[in-house]
Amino acid sequence: MANESVTPAPLGDSPELTPRWRHDGVCVVGADQLDPNTAQTPGMDRKAAINFARVGAQKLWAGTVHIHPDARTGAHHHGPLESVIYVVKGRARMRWGEALEFTAEAGPGDFIYVPPFVPHQEINASATDVLECVLVRSDGEAVAVNLDIEPVERPQRVRWIDPTHPQG
């Protein structure tokens, strides 16, 4: 019995499963179907692709964010949510901390991780090109808490050191 394998029935051979998976299975949200009716932060345009309201996602929110040339968002955090930003096009400058005193940059293909409750600000480091990113959060609803922070004049540049690969 332990080595017995089960071959799933071909699609259509199990009528009781067909309706369930047809409408409660994979969802494709087209690029022209992104929803701008989501939590916003001044300086950026967020659009939801995957969330509870759109596809029933229980533990994820995903969408896009565009920051115009030479623009910066207001300071904000995302409550208890973890966020991942994937830079598609452009150059992202992140500032974070109680007074946005730390900074780091990311370019196309780079991932940015933002832990829960960390005050931060996204900046388009280019004066001419739009910054385009994909954003994923650890909950089905968007949370954006805008903050009134007086940022330090000169943030400290931080080079992230991977604890698993400290030598690079």
Side-chain angles (χ1 to χ4, degrees):
M1 227 24 170
N3 293 328
E4 186 178 320
S5 65
V6 177
T7 303
L11 290 177
D13 284 2
S14 181
E16 68 277 359
L17 292 181
T18 300
R20 175 180 174 207
W21 294 121
R22 178 171 306 199
H23 300 292
D24 294 331
V26 173
C27 296
V28 175
V29 178
D32 61 343
Q33 297 174 315
L34 301 181
D35 184 3
N37 298 312
T38 188
Q40 298 293 335
T41 298
M44 67 171 32
D45 299 316
R46 285 190 193 103
K47 291 184 180 178
I50 307 298
N51 60 15
F52 179 77
R54 306 213 59 219
V55 301
Q58 300 288 317
K59 299 176 184 179
L60 289 174
W61 183 100
T64 61
V65 62
H66 290 86
I67 302 176
H68 300 285
D70 213 23
R72 63 186 62 222
T73 70
H76 61 284
H77 69 73
H78 301 288
L81 308 183
E82 293 178 288
S83 298
V84 174
I85 302 167
Y86 175 76
V87 180
V88 175
K89 179 181 173 188
R91 190 100 192 130
R93 181 175 299 130
M94 297 292 292
R95 287 184 69 173
W96 71 93
E98 294 298 322
L100 304 177
E101 65 270 29
F102 306 108
T103 187
E105 289 196 10
D110 292 341
F111 287 84
I112 301 165
Y113 171 69
V114 182
F117 296 104
V118 172
H120 63 282
Q121 174 185 53
E122 291 95 345
I123 300 168
N124 184 340
S126 171
T128 58
D129 299 320
V130 172
L131 172 60
E132 298 179 16
C133 301
V134 172
L135 175 60
V136 178
R137 294 218 184 90
S138 62
D139 191 89
E141 295 297 326
V143 173
V145 178
N146 295 315
L147 304 170
D148 186 16
I149 290 179
E150 185 65 38
V152 296
E153 183 81 21
R154 294 177 183 244
Q156 174 187 350
R157 182 170 289 275
V158 175
R159 181 178 169 269
W160 183 71
I161 299 172
D162 176 354
T164 307
H165 308 95
Q167 305 308 317

